[in-house]
Each structure stands twice: as structure tokens, then as C-alpha cells.
Amino acid sequence: MRPTLQVRLSQHLALTPQLQQSIRLLQLSTLELHQEVEQMLASNPLLETEDEHDAPLPASTQERLTEREEREERLTGSTDSATADGSADAPAADEIRAEDFGTTERDDWENGTEGDDFDGIREQPGSASSGSGGEDDERPETEAPDATLQDVLRAQMAGMKLNEIERAALLALIESLNDDGYLEDSLEELVTALLGGEDSADDGAGPDGESSQEQREQLLAHFKCALKWLQSMEPAGVGARELSECLELQLRTLPRSPEQALAVVICRRHLDLLAKRDWRRLMSLTGADDELLRGAQALISGLEPKPGRRFARSDNRPVVPDVIVQKAGRNFRVMINPDVLPKLRINDLYAQALRATRGGVSNSPLGGQLQEARWFIKNIQQRFDTILRVSEAIVERQRGFFTHGELAMKPLVLREIADELGLHESTISRVTTAKYMATPWGTFELKYFFGSSLSTEAGGNASSTAVRALIKQFIAAEDTTSPLSDSQLSTMLGEQGITVARRTVAKYREALKLAPANLRKSR
């Protein structure tokens, strides 16, 4: 075969670094965006926040300015002399302001508008702030970490008369507790771990095997004694190895009574029947009457199944909405939350110094970082503009929800918003993931406003979100002595003109974290 040259025309999409960064920023949550901004500020000297100084001044110049300001303050008695140096009346082009992300009348990003400053992304809840003296006074109280379960138990050990071995065994058990206060590993497993594995327990004959087995039994005895100490500590129920033991430990701290004794028997032997609400079999096995069983159930219901839960440190932070929707007459005003919008701009002093260098910006080693900073600012602006556009389209489609609540939610899929805005469906998916909207009915993830369609007898469609809300409403109003089954809920929805199968009702009920009818039944 003879080699030949051929010319072919083809089209393909090239993902430039700028486009890749734009896609990545679009799918980040607010916290992840904050971390990305912090990393960029640390690595790129040409990027700064608006609350920073325009440029770092030399030490000698700074000292002269400080001396002059102090002299003017003594003469005038005012601290406003620092503003005499002047500031720019109009914002620079390479910066982000909250006013650029208003309602439907959005300005172009390149045209900055004047307005009041707002808190940037650096000042989210939980971050340090440079506030007034009053805030500094409260800081030790608010920033002091809460005591963990282990800290509380170790503090109680200080009042116990324990020898060195008992104290070491008790400390080992305390460190083995999980966040719920349970001892996940058995005592035998803890002994094996301390002795260095299964091989340490030699089953063969000989003095070494006998001494190893004797050491193992002694250590196990110390752990059993330490476990009794641990289970006598507060909170009650700590150190249990299963739920029934945890509940029994708490019941034994209550005053003795027939109800308390019956509750202990139920927790020890018939906890599964109590979970199934099988009252007839419980009365048959325990010999208790209805009134006594009610009292025992009330005692068990008041116990804490996870005694260490209140000491567990939660990393969950309050949800900060990316978009705020407010009622404005008959319409709704949609705007970006200024608290999540970072205030970024190009450092003017560095940029001017680059332009003044021989050969211009392109020949400077910092020229690439200048272009990177501009791309980063533009991509963040593009991110928030896309979020705002999608949010406005959602509010327009789900106007019934914002007026009447979730029962008025309409079916909506990603494709509809994508076609309306001229975007790809994957872009809408990225925008609506981990982005939140504050509404008059609460704060919801943007994905909450999308739901599948269910047919109705009238030929229309009902949103699955509205159907879930209707199921929740039916269950909230039911008679607890005769709760509604999934089949009854399906029939009730049919009476409302919504055709839903029993399996679909069960799926929606489980999504709402509602128990089935037999577990919702009360005597």
C-alpha cells in the first residue's frame, strides 16, 4: 500500500484550562468555593480581596504616613484624616460586587456599580471576624470546644479510688467507646489487641503457654472490673455493648416500681416485640395487664438509646443560602446572597508595575499569574450569574410553591430549564447540586424544586414533591390508634384525583422517614 496524504475537516470541542476551571467552580458548594478562593489568594500575589490594602507599602513610607496621620489626629481630634488621600470613585473592572447580581435586571460583569460593601466569603459563620471589643469578650465562650464524652468520663475518674492497673484498663475502655457511647469491641478483642494479636495466646503446653494464658485471664478480669466501673458512670447507659443493655442500665438508675421491673424484663428479653408493637403477645409472655404495660412502655420511651450523642461533635454548619427569594408585591425578587459572594480584584500596584516593565506584561514572569487571576475572577462571576439565571427560571416555573407552599409544587425536570436558558442539562445538574435557596417557606436545595410527574384523573400532572407533602399531611392528621396503611393512603390520593400505586406510596413514605402503619400505632 502506497502512503498518501489526505486533508480532513472535523469539529471537536477543546476544553481549555479556563473552561475546565469554569466547570469545576460551577459544581463546588459554598464551602468548597471558599476553600478554592483561599488557595488562589495564597498562591497568586496579583489577586486580593477588597478589604485588603491596595498594595504593600515600604516600611519607611508606612512609618511616615503613620506619623503624619497621628499628628493630624492630635490636631483635629478626628480619625477621618486617612480618607484625605482619596480613593477611587469607580470600582476597577477586575473585581466582584454584590450589586452586579441583583434581580432580573442584571448588569454586565465588566461594568462595576457603586454601592455599599458587603461581607465576603471570608466572613461566613464559624470564621474568625475582626469585630469590636464586645465580640472579643465573647470569643472564649463561643470558640471553646465542647467537652467530649471521653473528657467527661476521664473527669469522673479523678474521684475514683483505683489502682494503676484498674485505671489503665478503664482508660482503655473509655478510649474504645464510639460517638454513641457504645463499646463496639468485645473485652476479649481488646485483650487480644493489647497482647499483640491472636498468636500471643499460645494454646500449647509449656511454661510460656501457661504464663501467656494466665496473663490473658488476669487482663480479662481487670477489663470486666473496669467495665462495671464504666457502666456506673454518667451518662447512664454508657459502656453498653448493645441497645438492650444500654436501656437496662438506664432503667436500673430509676426508682424501683412494678413498671420499672417490667421494663427491665422487656428490654432484656422482649425488645423486638416492643418494636413491633405486639402488645397481645407481650401481655401473654410477661403476664402484665394493659395498664402496667403502658407504664413500662412510657419508661422505655423516655430513655436515651444513644447516651453519647449529646457529646458528639458535629461538623455540620448552618446552611448558607446561595440565592435569596423575597416577596416584592405580586412578584418575587431573586438575588445572590452577598454573604457568599467573594470580593476579589486585581492588585493595581502589581498590575501597573507589570505594565511598566520592559517588554510589557507578556515578557514578565508574573504575566501568567495576572492572566490566571483575571480568569479566576471572570469564572466566579460566570458561576454566580449562571446560578442566578437558573434560580430565576425555577422561581418563574414554581410560582405556585412560593405563593401557596409545597402542595402547589408543579412537575419540573432539568431538561425544561436547560431548554429555556439554552444550557446543557449537565450544567443545570451542576448548578442545582449543593446550592441552596432561601424562600418564604424555608431554605431548600435547588434540586428540591425538581420532581417527576404523576398523572391525574383530570388529565393533568402532579409533582411527586406535592404528593409527598400530601402523604405527610394525611399521616399527620391520622388517628394513631388506627394509622393509615399504604393502601389506604393510595386510595385517599385517588380520591384527590392522583393515581399512585401502593408501592410508590411506600417509597415516598420511606423518603419522608415515616414509619409504617404498624409502628405508628399507639394504644
Side-chain angles (χ1 to χ4, degrees):
M1 180 180 293
R2 295 178 54 186
T4 59
L5 296 176
Q6 295 180 351
V7 179
R8 295 181 179 178
L9 295 178
S10 61
Q11 293 181 345
H12 66 279
L13 177 63
L15 290 178
T16 63
Q18 183 180 3
L19 181 58
Q20 293 178 8
Q21 184 186 67
S22 176
I23 295 175
R24 185 167 55 85
L25 291 178
L26 188 61
Q27 64 188 8
L28 295 181
S29 64
T30 299
L31 180 60
E32 292 169 341
L33 178 65
H34 166 64
Q35 295 172 348
E36 188 76 15
V37 170
E38 291 291 341
Q39 292 177 4
M40 185 61 69
L41 287 172
S43 62
N44 195 326
L46 292 169
L47 192 66
E48 67 177 7
T49 58
E50 288 189 7
D51 54 354
E52 294 178 356
H53 296 290
D54 291 340
L57 297 177
S60 57
T61 305
Q62 183 63 44
E63 290 175 0
R64 289 196 299 270
L65 289 175
T66 303
E67 292 175 358
R68 186 186 68 180
E69 290 173 1
E70 292 177 352
R71 183 167 58 255
E72 291 177 355
E73 288 177 4
R74 287 195 299 268
L75 293 174
T76 62
S78 173
T79 59
D80 297 334
S81 59
T83 60
D85 296 336
S87 59
D89 293 332
D94 295 325
E95 61 182 67
I96 304 176
R97 289 183 177 272
E99 291 79 1
D100 296 336
F101 302 94
T103 57
T104 53
E105 299 177 357
R106 298 185 303 275
D107 297 329
D108 187 77
W109 293 326
E110 300 298 328
N111 299 325
T113 56
E114 296 183 358
D116 297 333
D117 290 338
F118 56 89
D119 296 334
I121 196 170
R122 291 175 175 268
E123 300 177 4
Q124 291 189 31
S127 63
S129 61
S130 56
S132 60
E135 294 177 354
D136 294 337
D137 296 338
E138 298 177 357
R139 186 170 301 167
E141 180 181 350
T142 57
E143 293 185 357
D146 296 332
T148 63
L149 176 62
Q150 283 74 14
D151 294 336
V152 173
L153 296 175
R154 283 193 292 264
Q156 296 179 52
M157 283 182 57
M160 295 181 178
K161 295 182 179 180
L162 304 173
N163 57 39
E164 185 177 350
I165 298 178
E166 293 173 340
R167 185 174 297 274
L170 184 54
L171 280 174
L173 292 181
I174 290 176
E175 297 300 327
S176 301
L177 296 175
N178 60 18
D179 292 339
D180 294 331
Y182 283 81
L183 193 64
E184 292 184 333
D185 300 326
S186 65
L187 299 183
E188 289 76 10
E189 291 173 343
L190 293 174
V191 170
T192 300
L194 288 177
L195 292 178
E198 294 288 349
D199 296 337
S200 62
D202 188 4
D203 295 334
D208 294 339
E210 292 177 359
S211 62
S212 177
Q213 184 64 25
E214 183 180 356
Q215 181 184 10
R216 183 183 184 87
E217 292 177 355
Q218 290 179 354
L219 188 56
L220 183 59
H222 287 305
F223 269 116
K224 289 181 179 179
C225 182
L227 182 60
K228 293 181 180 180
W229 283 105
L230 176 61
Q231 292 181 348
S232 66
M233 301 169 74
E234 292 292 335
V238 70
R241 288 157 288 187
E242 56 184 3
L243 177 60
S244 59
E245 185 180 15
C246 176
L247 299 177
E248 184 178 346
L249 289 172
Q250 296 179 58
L251 287 170
R252 293 193 179 279
T253 63
L254 301 178
R256 290 182 178 273
S257 65
E259 292 80 5
Q260 185 260 1
L262 178 59
V264 170
V265 173
I266 292 175
C267 290
R268 185 183 298 175
R269 302 175 184 175
H270 311 300
L271 198 58
D272 56 335
L273 296 179
L274 181 65
K276 296 177 182 178
R277 307 286 180 103
D278 195 345
W279 310 114
R280 183 174 301 177
R281 193 173 178 191
L282 276 174
M283 288 189 290
S284 174
L285 292 174
T286 60
D289 57 11
D290 183 75
E291 183 178 357
L292 186 59
L293 191 58
R294 284 174 178 267
Q297 180 202 6
L299 286 179
I300 296 174
S301 301
L303 302 178
E304 173 57 72
K306 298 179 180 180
R309 174 164 48 186
R310 60 190 175 100
F311 298 99
R313 292 183 178 179
S314 176
D315 295 332
N316 297 329
R317 297 185 178 182
V319 173
V320 180
D322 300 85
V323 182
I324 299 175
V325 179
Q326 296 175 342
K327 183 74 173 176
R330 295 184 178 180
N331 298 321
F332 293 95
R333 182 168 176 258
V334 185
M335 61 181 179
I336 293 293
N337 183 7
D339 291 337
V340 303
L341 187 63
K343 299 185 298 182
L344 300 176
R345 65 180 180 185
I346 302 297
N347 188 296
D348 291 336
L349 236 131
Y350 283 144
Q352 292 175 5
L354 283 175
R355 298 188 189 98
T357 57
R358 183 178 300 177
V361 176
S362 58
N363 294 331
S364 173
L366 294 179
Q369 290 185 316
L370 177 61
Q371 186 64 34
E372 181 186 32
R374 287 174 175 169
W375 282 354
F376 188 72
I377 292 176
K378 184 176 181 180
N379 285 333
I380 288 183
Q381 293 170 335
Q382 177 71 33
R383 174 187 187 271
F384 283 101
D385 182 74
T386 305
I387 292 175
L388 183 61
R389 291 177 60 200
V390 172
S391 301
E392 290 170 350
I394 291 175
V395 172
E396 184 65 28
R397 291 295 186 97
Q398 298 291 3
R399 185 172 294 272
F401 165 82
F402 293 94
T403 305
H404 304 289
E406 57 185 353
L407 289 176
M409 189 82 77
K410 294 181 179 179
L412 182 64
V413 293
L414 299 176
R415 169 72 60 184
E416 297 180 41
I417 301 296
D419 293 342
E420 179 180 343
L421 300 180
L423 300 174
H424 195 272
E425 190 173 348
S426 62
T427 302
I428 306 300
S429 178
R430 292 188 182 97
V431 170
T432 55
T433 302
K435 314 297 188 303
Y436 295 88
M437 176 186 292
T439 72
W441 301 98
T443 301
F444 303 92
E445 189 179 12
L446 294 184
K447 278 191 178 298
Y448 171 79
F449 299 97
F450 295 85
S452 57
S453 175
L454 299 174
S455 60
T456 63
E457 293 181 356
N461 294 322
S463 170
S464 58
T465 305
V467 173
R468 283 195 293 267
L470 202 56
I471 292 174
K472 185 178 180 180
Q473 190 178 78
F474 288 156
I475 293 178
E478 70 182 359
D479 183 5
T480 55
T481 60
S482 180
L484 298 171
S485 64
D486 294 337
S487 299
Q488 290 174 319
L489 290 172
S490 177
T491 303
M492 295 175 68
L493 290 172
E495 294 173 354
Q496 300 288 330
I498 304 173
T499 306
V500 185
R502 183 194 61 81
R503 293 181 180 179
T504 306
V505 171
K507 182 179 70 173
Y508 288 167
R509 177 182 52 74
E510 292 173 358
L512 293 170
K513 297 182 179 180
L514 297 173
N518 63 323
L519 298 182
R520 299 199 309 271
K521 185 177 181 180
S522 63
R523 296 180 61 80

